[in-house]
Amino acid sequence: MQSRLVTIEEGKDPTTNSIRTNQSRVFPSRLLRSMLVLLVAGIVLSIISIRMNRNIGLRSIVPGTQQPCFQVPISLRNLIKAPSNYMHSMNDSQLLWRASFVPQIKEYPFKRLPKIAFMFLTRGPLPLSPLWDKFFEGNERLYSIYVHSLPHYVSNFSTSSVFYGRQIPSQMVEWGRMSMCDAERRLLANALLDISNEWFVLLSEACIPLHNFSIIYRYISRSRVSFMGAVDELGPYGRGRYDINMLPEVNISQWRKGSQWFETNRNLAVDIIKDTKFYPKFERFCRPACYVDEHYFPTMLTIQSPNLLANRSLTYVDWSRGGAHPATFGKNDISKNFFKKIREDQACIYNNQPTSVCFLFARKFAPSALEPLLQNSSNFFGF
Ligand SMILES: *[C@@H]1O[C@H](CO)[C@@H](O)[C@H](O)[C@H]1NC(C)=O
Ligand SMILES: *[C@@H]1O[C@H](CO)[C@@H](O)[C@H](O)[C@H]1NC(C)=O
Ligand SMILES: *[C@@H]1O[C@H](CO)[C@@H](O)[C@H](O)[C@H]1NC(C)=O
Ligand SMILES: *[C@@H]1O[C@H](CO)[C@@H](O)[C@H](O)[C@H]1NC(C)=O
Ligand SMILES: *[C@@H]1O[C@H](CO)[C@@H](O)[C@H](O)[C@H]1NC(C)=O
Ligand SMILES: *[C@@H]1O[C@H](CO)[C@@H](O)[C@H](O)[C@H]1NC(C)=O
């Protein structure tokens, strides 16, 4: 803070000096001299008012700018510009508060090209990133990318990768605990700072796209509902995880379970990041063996906006092998037939119509799958 104030002051003084000397040289007449006095008085007044602003703390909330404020006209272009640098110094409370800003006039007074924010929740490396690079190629105006990795991890993407510089300020995550939902909210909040992001997709380092970008963009943008998995599952892994202390906010028939890998529109994303009603209950009363990332968002959104949810996830995962973790696919699983089954041999509802295209993404894929996927992506996925 201190150093920025100093630069602001330094930037201001040379300007005032140069105005003063230029003016006295060019306009010597008495009338103009008295106008000059007025000008100097004006400058002195503005300096005083800047000092006063600073004293009452206004300066500290003015977004960073290296020029004196009376020289920078506010423009819409600057207010709606996507942040070019994802690093910031806001902590979570500040970030969530800032991200919860919502315009009250529905119509945008500019041409807004809505984007999909692809949010990668990872431990560290993104071994399948070359496949994603290929997937995104040529669609630059229609997507944004955000990566949350464990805080000690330093990525080294080359400048030609779409993932270069896309890391957001991250914190420790423990799988299956509230810190996981915190990370998801952090991703959403950072993505909400870009007003062009309209849809938000959560992915992991083991996810791949199953279609080309235009198909995925069309499927998501034309859907009337958001793809949050949410089912009322009986038995120990569903209702069995409900805790009676969740009352009165959540009763047993409102309790939902769903895959963590969601897609929401902007309104629901804001609902998720602004929540203070359900958060404390889930934080306290949904701890392992209640896995909060499978219950918090599905339950909250089902209570608040049941009609805006598809109640299914867009991300394919194979639990058929049993156990606590889904199947991981490697080099030997990759074949045209394997993807044909995932992509087409299904049945689900899309905008009230039955469809066989239920999944846009799939997991989990091992790094060994990268080579055959890259080689055959146009054959498998059409990109
Ligand atoms: C963020 O910083 C503010 C001001 O220092 C503080 O009041 C707040 O508790 C902090 N929030 C978190 C989550 O650390
Ligand atoms: C990033 O680091 C890994 C090892 O940590 C290395 O194998 C890889 O080549 C590096 N990638 C780039 C783009 O520098
Ligand atoms: C749960 O709450 C809903 C909405 O308030 C209500 O309609 C329903 O009857 C309640 N169910 C139970 C089991 O209490
Ligand atoms: C999703 O489930 C809710 C109830 O939990 C229901 O109201 C809603 O209609 C369902 N959505 C679809 C698309 O069927
Ligand atoms: C991928 O493409 C290569 C070259 O066309 C081919 O030899 C290989 O069999 C394909 N792999 C799969 C899994 O289809
Ligand atoms: C995307 O895939 C669809 C269906 O496979 C195809 O018709 C379309 O041409 C592809 N789009 C691009 C830009 O490659």
Side-chain angles (χ1 to χ4, degrees), residues 241-260:
R241 293 177 182 171
Y242 173 79
D243 184 324
I244 194 82
N245 287 303
M246 292 266 176
L247 286 172
E249 284 80 4
V250 184
N251 72 30
I252 182 92
S253 61
Q254 295 168 318
W255 183 251
R256 289 293 181 278
K257 179 181 180 177
S259 154
Q260 161 190 18

Side-chain angles (χ1 to χ4, degrees), residues 232 272-273 283 308:
D232 181 7
I272 290 175
I273 61 107
E283 219 260 296
L308 301 181

Side-chain angles (χ1 to χ4, degrees), residues 231-243:
V231 295
D232 181 7
E233 185 183 305
L234 306 176
Y237 307 116
R239 286 198 179 197
R241 293 177 182 171
Y242 173 79
D243 184 324

Side-chain angles (χ1 to χ4, degrees), residues 26-260:
V26 182
F27 310 110
S29 94
R30 210 173 262 180
L31 178 67
L32 284 179
R33 220 174 283 151
S34 52
M35 285 176 69
L36 188 61
V37 170
L38 280 175
L39 180 67
V40 170
I43 290 169
V44 168
L45 269 177
S46 38
I47 289 172
I48 289 172
S49 83
I50 285 168
R51 293 251 159 87
M52 280 172 67
N53 278 351
R54 194 178 50 200
N55 286 344
I56 60 174
L58 277 182
R59 172 117 317 221
S60 63
I61 57 169
V62 172
T65 156
Q66 296 306 310
Q67 287 160 333
C69 57
F70 54 82
Q71 282 195 348
V72 184
I74 292 172
S75 73
L76 186 64
R77 176 189 282 265
N78 278 334
L79 289 177
I80 63 177
K81 201 170 57 185
S84 55
N85 183 352
Y86 281 7
M87 285 299 151
H88 57 72
S89 60
M90 290 181 279
N91 68 20
D92 278 356
S93 355
Q94 295 163 337
L95 171 69
L96 296 179
W97 177 80
R98 176 64 185 82
S100 72
F101 289 15
V102 175
Q104 298 299 305
I105 294 180
K106 290 275 170 286
E107 214 167 292
Y108 293 91
F110 54 92
K111 186 162 167 13
R112 175 177 182 259
L113 195 54
K115 294 192 284 187
I116 300 180
F118 291 83
M119 311 181 298
F120 290 84
L121 179 59
T122 73
R123 291 177 175 82
L126 269 159
L128 304 173
S129 63
L131 184 70
W132 286 102
D133 278 331
K134 207 170 167 187
F135 166 78
F136 285 118
E137 205 180 316
N139 299 286
E140 283 66 33
R141 280 145 34 93
L142 296 174
Y143 70 84
S144 323
I145 292 175
Y146 300 82
V147 181
H148 187 291
S149 41
L150 296 182
H152 58 79
Y153 179 74
V154 182
S155 69
N156 65 344
F157 290 109
S158 74
T159 49
S160 63
S161 170
V162 297
F163 294 96
Y164 179 78
R166 304 289 83 167
Q167 275 66 31
I168 62 160
S170 304
Q171 286 181 35
M172 201 57 205
V173 172
E174 284 179 282
W175 258 242
R177 292 184 181 263
M178 205 54 167
S179 54
M180 176 96 95
C181 296
D182 292 338
E184 295 174 11
R185 275 154 57 102
R186 206 172 289 126
L187 276 163
L188 282 171
N190 278 280
L192 280 165
L193 298 181
D194 181 347
I195 204 150
S196 296
N197 287 329
E198 181 58 33
W199 303 283
F200 303 79
V201 181
L202 184 69
L203 299 157
S204 80
E205 66 263 61
C207 287
I208 62 162
L210 291 175
H211 300 269
N212 63 26
F213 189 91
S214 25
I215 300 267
I216 287 184
Y217 186 88
R218 183 197 303 221
Y219 196 96
I220 289 177
S221 62
R222 297 193 179 176
S223 173
R224 294 190 209 124
V225 288
S226 290
F227 295 93
M228 173 76 67
V231 295
D232 181 7
E233 185 183 305
L234 306 176
Y237 307 116
R239 286 198 179 197
R241 293 177 182 171
Y242 173 79
D243 184 324
I244 194 82
N245 287 303
M246 292 266 176
L247 286 172
E249 284 80 4
V250 184
N251 72 30
I252 182 92
S253 61
Q254 295 168 318
W255 183 251
R256 289 293 181 278
K257 179 181 180 177
S259 154
Q260 161 190 18

Side-chain angles (χ1 to χ4, degrees), residues 243 246 279-287:
D243 184 324
M246 292 266 176
Y279 186 100
K281 283 294 176 87
F282 279 89
E283 219 260 296
R284 256 187 93 189
F285 300 117
C286 182
R287 296 186 172 185

